[in-house]
Structure formats: structure tokens, C-alpha cells
Amino acid sequence: DVKVTQSSRYLVKRTGEKVFLECVQDMDHENMFWYRQDPGLGLRLIYFSYDVKMKEKGDIPEGYSVSREKKERFSLILESASTNQTSMYLCATYLRGNTEAFFGQGTRLTVV
Amino acid sequence: GDSVTQMEGPVTLSEEAFLTINCTYTATGYPSLFWYVQYPGEGLQLLLKATKADDKGSNKGFEATYRKETTSFHLEKGSVQVSDSAVYFCALDNQGGKLIFGQGTELSVKP
């Protein structure tokens, strides 16, 4: 079974802090994604990566950056956290050419 | 751009009732279509999929048919159970390698 692990289930940070959300997958999947989930808005794509050191902006990249130094790890960075970044963050991965995405359990981030 | 629209929730049903959750999409070309489910406290998991027109995806008693003429992929189940209570997401992948999700529909099934 594919396992996608997010480093924290719950996180509370202060406004202005730099925040790192980590995602690790234990299969050899090329594609990795970061979404945020908000009530009534569904999942919105922040960034995605098709390979090591490659990244592309999704629909809402403002205020975020990403890092993919190794194939199994995809990090989401909030450069200066703000209260409107309070949300559930979901990491996903899938194998190129396949059609099933695998998700982590999510990180619920609260910025105070 | 590509998009997915789902019926708004929450949907509340009694056990053994019939379920329909509507999903329509806008996309160029021939996207693959999916239903994902999110149980409380968990990430999303694939429920079913269809990759071309007229395909029917099915799993755990749920089914959905890819209707290109109406750009729809409605989710149905003949008899829901309490354990089906979850949030259901319709999604598409238009060969660009990324999933586009609808808003999600919360289903609550009462005994």
C-alpha cells in the first residue's frame, strides 16, 4: 500500500512565522501535490511537482513556496504565515500514467 | 479553465435511502472523472473512476456513469448505510496530470 505521511496533524503558529509542512511518500511516485481544503470551496491546488527540483504553481500559490530536493519528500512553506492561511492542508501523490491519487491525512494549521 | 460543480450539502438521509449526488464538469477534450471520499479525520481516498464516455465506475455499492452529452458524473447508491457518512468529492483530470476538485458534498446518514 502506498503511504503518504504528513509531518503534523495539528499545528498552531503565530502570524509572521515561517511554517514548514512536510510530506513524505514511500512509493516511487513522480507527481506530488499540495492542496488546501476549506468549507464550501473544496480542494484548491497550491503547488505541484512532477519530479525532483521541479515545481509548478497551482491555482492559489500566493503566500506559499515549495521544495522538492528528494523524490519522496515535498515540502510546503509559508514564508510569513497569515490568519487567512488557517486551513486544512492535504498532500497527494500519484504515479505518472496512473489515475489514482493517494492522500495524506492532512495538517490542520491554525494561524493566530 | 476546467472546473467541477457539485450539488451543495449537507445531505441528510435515513439508512437504506437512495442517494444521488450531482456532479457536472467543464473541460476541453476528454477528461478522466473520479469520486473521492473523505471519512471523518482522514485524507481522501478514491471511491470510483471512469476514463471515457459511457464508462460506469462502481465500488462498495456506489456507481457513477460518465455522460459526455450532459457533462455529468452523478454518484448514486441504492441503499445507504450509517458508515457511508462522509464528504464526497467529484474530480477530473484533463490529461494535465493534476486533479481538479468540486466543492465537496457532506453526507450524513441517520439510523
Side-chain angles (χ1 to χ4, degrees):
Chain A
D1 280 353
V2 175
K3 192 168 183 182
V4 182
T5 304
Q6 294 183 228
S7 52
S8 304
R9 290 294 302 275
Y10 301 94
L11 213 50
V12 179
K13 296 291 181 181
R14 295 193 181 279
T15 301
E17 276 193 77
K18 190 169 186 176
V19 181
F20 293 85
L21 302 183
E22 307 285 344
C23 176
V24 177
Q25 49 131 338
D26 67 355
M27 294 294 287
D28 202 28
H29 287 189
E30 298 94 348
N31 300 347
M32 296 189 76
F33 304 81
W34 276 106
Y35 291 88
R36 64 177 281 177
Q37 180 181 6
D38 300 289
L41 298 176
L43 275 69
R44 293 180 291 167
L45 183 63
I46 305 171
Y47 266 96
F48 59 106
S49 170
Y50 288 142
D51 206 341
V52 176
K53 298 192 185 294
M54 292 182 65
K55 58 186 179 184
E56 291 195 34
K57 292 179 180 179
D59 301 317
I60 52 164
E62 296 78 18
Y64 303 95
S65 62
V66 290
S67 172
R68 193 164 181 202
E69 296 295 320
K70 294 184 178 181
K71 194 172 187 178
E72 67 269 19
R73 185 181 297 270
F74 192 37
S75 303
L76 179 69
I77 304 158
L78 286 66
E79 296 291 342
S80 177
S82 64
T83 54
N84 63 12
Q85 292 178 309
T86 291
S87 186
M88 171 71 84
Y89 290 87
L90 292 168
C91 175
T93 177
Y94 68 81
L95 189 61
R96 190 173 296 156
N98 204 336
T99 53
E100 178 178 358
F102 296 88
F103 284 81
Q105 289 188 295
T107 297
R108 185 166 292 283
L109 172 67
T110 302
V111 182
V112 298
Chain B
D2 299 343
S3 65
V4 176
T5 302
Q6 291 179 232
M7 65 184 282
E8 289 196 22
V11 174
T12 302
L13 295 173
S14 297
E15 208 165 21
E16 300 184 1
F18 184 86
L19 168 72
T20 300
I21 300 178
N22 290 338
C23 171
T24 57
Y25 67 91
T26 301
T28 57
Y30 302 92
S32 296
L33 301 174
F34 308 85
W35 278 99
Y36 280 81
V37 60
Q38 184 180 34
Y39 297 105
E42 299 183 13
L44 278 71
Q45 55 186 274
L46 180 67
L47 179 61
L48 54 83
K49 66 182 181 185
T51 56
K52 60 183 188 295
D54 299 325
D55 267 3
K56 178 185 282 189
S58 60
N59 186 26
K60 300 181 181 180
F62 291 90
E63 58 182 36
T65 301
Y66 188 141
R67 301 282 189 204
K68 189 161 178 63
E69 63 276 13
T70 55
T71 62
S72 65
F73 193 54
H74 304 321
L75 182 68
E76 296 182 336
K77 187 174 186 183
S79 176
V80 294
Q81 306 301 312
V82 172
S83 57
D84 294 326
S85 298
V87 182
Y88 292 82
F89 291 91
C90 185
L92 70 81
D93 175 356
N94 201 5
Q95 316 308 321
K98 58 179 180 176
L99 285 169
I100 295 170
F101 288 87
Q103 311 94 305
T105 301
E106 183 179 358
L107 170 67
S108 177
V109 180
K110 306 297 184 187

